[in-house]
Amino acid sequence: MKELRLSIYLLLAIIVLSCKGNSIKTAEIKGQRIAIDEKIEANAEIEEFIQPFKQHLNKTLDSTLAYNPRAMVKSDGDLNTAIGNLMADVVMEQAGPVFKSRTGNEIDMVLLNHGGIRSGLNKGNISTRSAYALMPFENEIVVAELSGEKIKEMLTYLERAKTAHPVSGIQIEMDQDYKVTSSKINGEEIDEDKTYFVATSDYLQQGGDNMSFFKDPIELYEVDYKLRNAIIDYFKKVDTLKVDKDNRFIRK
């Protein structure tokens, strides 16, 4: 054992002495920023290969699904907008039957986020591409069972936000200082002893936009339905969009 230790020490000494005569240099790494823009020439072979797929994709995306009689933008209202109401109502209408078939329960209300509306809807024909522009994310619809106390936390959040977050199934009135003066779900005052089924996106349920009241619900139900797909399916079944601002979320 003693001889083994001596051999190891000798080996280490040889390595240290051999390193002293050699200078150690650090590697020099240089980087260059290469812009990906119209200045880059297309590869003819790749362009030829993808052309049939591109044509098919564009045909699918640009096919007309419905007609929009007037332009909608998310900045056209104080606490509710036509396009926000449309998105919330779409979730209620499209996800409601799926949720009921699986649980036997009805969705009580919907809450989405103003920032999640990524585009407006122009007047005229509405296509699949319109839906992708409106909702480019892969967000899934989920239903969180919340206590009445959590719903009150949600109202406090909306007071602080002072923003037209899309809602459906709930009627909220605020005063000029954005304090809630009245709130009803399905036409009834919110009861802290009851629970409510609130549809939203998985992003918000996980705390996106600081909506912490969605975390740790009594129960969480997956609908297996992308928000964008719900919008596309809704567009397919209606001929003309008929959505306006209303009194679901107002300030008096």
Side-chain angles (χ1 to χ4, degrees), residues 209-224:
D209 267 14
N210 296 314
M211 293 191 183
S212 57
F213 50 86
F214 272 130
K215 288 187 173 182
D216 302 318
I218 296 170
E219 192 70 51
L220 181 65
Y221 302 88
E222 295 182 357
V223 184
D224 301 315

Side-chain angles (χ1 to χ4, degrees), residues 8 23 33 36 88 96 102 182 190:
I8 292 172
S23 60
R33 187 182 183 90
I36 301 176
R102 294 184 180 183
S182 175
I190 295 167

Side-chain angles (χ1 to χ4, degrees), residues 7-129:
S7 298
I8 292 172
Y9 295 151
L10 180 60
L11 178 61
L12 290 173
I14 292 171
I15 292 172
V16 171
L17 289 173
S18 64
C19 289
K20 285 185 177 180
N22 300 319
S23 60
I24 300 174
K25 295 182 179 180
T26 58
E28 184 178 355
I29 300 174
K30 293 183 178 180
Q32 181 182 1
R33 187 182 183 90
I34 301 175
I36 301 176
D37 53 28
E38 66 278 357
K39 295 179 182 179
I40 298 178
E41 294 184 6
N43 183 293
E45 291 185 8
I46 295 177
E47 286 288 305
E48 183 180 358
F49 177 77
I50 67 173
Q51 190 60 29
F53 302 99
K54 183 178 179 181
Q55 290 176 350
H56 175 74
L57 180 61
N58 285 336
K59 183 178 180 181
T60 301
L61 288 175
D62 294 327
S63 58
T64 299
L65 303 180
Y67 179 77
N68 183 24
R70 66 180 183 85
M72 299 183 196
V73 293
K74 70 176 186 178
S75 60
D76 70 349
D78 178 25
L79 291 178
N80 80 82
T81 66
I83 196 167
N85 294 348
L86 171 66
M87 289 185 67
D89 289 347
V90 164
V91 171
M92 181 73 83
E93 183 165 335
Q94 296 300 121
V98 179
F99 180 66
K100 186 173 182 179
S101 68
R102 294 184 180 183
T103 67
N105 296 309
E106 303 274 359
I107 293 174
D108 292 301
M109 64 160 289
V110 177
L111 173 64
L112 301 175
N113 63 322
H114 184 261
I117 305 172
R118 307 304 289 185
S119 170
L121 287 176
N122 294 328
K123 178 180 178 180
N125 292 337
I126 299 299
S127 65
T128 301
R129 191 184 296 275

